[in-house]
Amino acid sequence: FFFAAATPQTMPYSTGMFSFFDDLPVLLYGVGCGGCLAVHNSVIAADNQAAFGLPGDMITEKCEFAGCAANDGAICLNAAIYNCFEPVYCLWRKQVREKTGVDGSLPGDIVATCCCSYAAVMQDARELKSKGLAYGDMK
């Protein structure tokens, strides 16, 4: 009885993996630059921090004179990681699921990202947007 109360509530994704036309701005962003969308999803899921505890803020500090935002260092580091090893997104998808309370498993994330990576990235972006965590200005 008391164990059920301590377990976080999870639910399925609010949209299907191939529900591309549910959100046209996310579709256009994903088709135009799916890698960029993947990197933005990862930074949002990690609360504007770089992956694996890397010091993204050190990069931002060095570039403040150029008008860098607080999470630009994290975006740069995650982009470098993603460009070198694209399958890392299956770990980032797990972070998105945990942040949004979506049910799933790491094996499912691996299958989704390896078979249909941009569809999975766009599904994650739609989920983040539906929870009000990101992409609110994309209408």
Side-chain angles (χ1 to χ4, degrees):
F1 170 78
F2 62 90
F3 291 111
T7 307
Q9 194 72 338
T10 59
M11 62 196 115
Y13 275 96
S14 60
T15 63
M17 180 119 96
F18 300 105
S19 300
F20 301 118
F21 296 102
D22 285 1
D23 193 323
L24 190 60
V26 169
L27 172 66
L28 294 174
Y29 190 7
V31 169
C33 188
C36 298
L37 185 59
V39 168
H40 277 112
N41 287 351
S42 70
V43 171
I44 292 161
D47 296 321
N48 292 323
Q49 299 297 315
F52 311 115
L54 295 172
D57 54 341
M58 287 178 59
I59 292 174
T60 305
E61 289 171 7
K62 304 284 189 244
C63 301
E64 281 181 347
F65 68 91
C68 288
N71 65 347
D72 286 347
I75 290 170
C76 289
L77 285 172
N78 284 11
I81 292 167
Y82 184 78
N83 285 324
C84 292
F85 188 67
E86 195 170 321
V88 74
Y89 192 76
C90 64
L91 298 175
W92 293 344
R93 183 171 167 90
K94 180 180 180 287
Q95 281 185 314
V96 170
R97 280 191 306 96
E98 290 171 352
K99 185 159 188 88
T100 57
V102 171
D103 192 22
S105 65
L106 185 58
D109 295 338
I110 292 169
V111 170
T113 56
C114 289
C115 294
C116 311
S117 67
Y118 288 149
V121 167
M122 287 186 267
Q123 182 183 33
D124 289 342
R126 289 190 304 270
E127 194 65 32
L128 288 166
K129 188 175 179 181
S130 75
K131 299 287 193 269
L133 299 172
Y135 310 114
D137 54 346
M138 289 175 41
K139 297 184 173 50

